[in-house]
Amino acid sequence: MTETRDGEDETRIAHLSGWFRRRPTSMEYWELLVTEERLVWCFVGESFKSMLLRADTGERGRGEIEDATPDRALSLDERNFAVPLDSLESVRLRDGTLFRRAKLVVTWKENDEADSYELYATKTADSQVDDVEALADDPRLSHVDVGVETTDGLF
């Protein structure tokens, strides 16, 4: 899925949508934009574990990211950040089943510091197996361990 947005110098390779990160007191909602130069992490909302604060599921933020350029997406929230493609080490997707959410683990290394995010698919997320498999075939990511684990069962 390679597409160029009007007025943008970077080509968007993929948009991985509908992910959340578990935190001690909340769930953070993230969108990932993969361009020919970088992986842009876009924070789109947060839902707290307290029943009184469970309002934001990131839907409004996802709509803003859909047509945004990578630079615009980075500017939408102070928590947004970008990782150069050269720094990526792995992108691993475990496809979801009827009883288990899909899981995406992205690892990278910058300035000799390793980091990783473990994300889970929201209930409304589509399977993104094809998108991640396409990343494995992209020559710009030949140095990255890209893999997809699928299962035919319910678990």
Side-chain angles (χ1 to χ4, degrees), residues 19 93-97 100-104 119-122 126-127:
W19 297 96
L93 174 67
R94 184 194 69 204
D95 197 20
T97 66
R100 183 181 72 189
R101 292 184 188 270
K103 180 169 86 170
L104 181 69
L119 305 170
Y120 295 89
T122 62
D126 292 329
S127 173

Side-chain angles (χ1 to χ4, degrees), residues 126-137:
D126 292 329
S127 173
Q128 296 173 39
V129 170
D130 292 341
D131 293 329
V132 175
E133 286 176 342
L135 293 177
D137 296 333

Side-chain angles (χ1 to χ4, degrees), residues 108-124:
W108 64 94
K109 193 172 200 175
E110 275 190 291
N111 303 324
D112 294 325
E113 295 286 325
D115 206 350
S116 71
Y117 273 24
E118 188 172 284
L119 305 170
Y120 295 89
T122 62
K123 290 180 182 178
T124 59

Side-chain angles (χ1 to χ4, degrees), residues 5 12-16 31-35 38-42 65-66 68-71 73-74 85:
R5 305 287 186 190
R12 188 183 289 192
I13 300 169
H15 178 185
L16 303 176
E31 298 286 292
L32 286 74
L33 303 178
V34 184
T35 74
R38 57 192 171 168
L39 172 60
V40 180
W41 291 81
C42 304
I65 298 299
E66 184 64 36
T69 64
D71 287 334
L74 275 171
L85 287 189

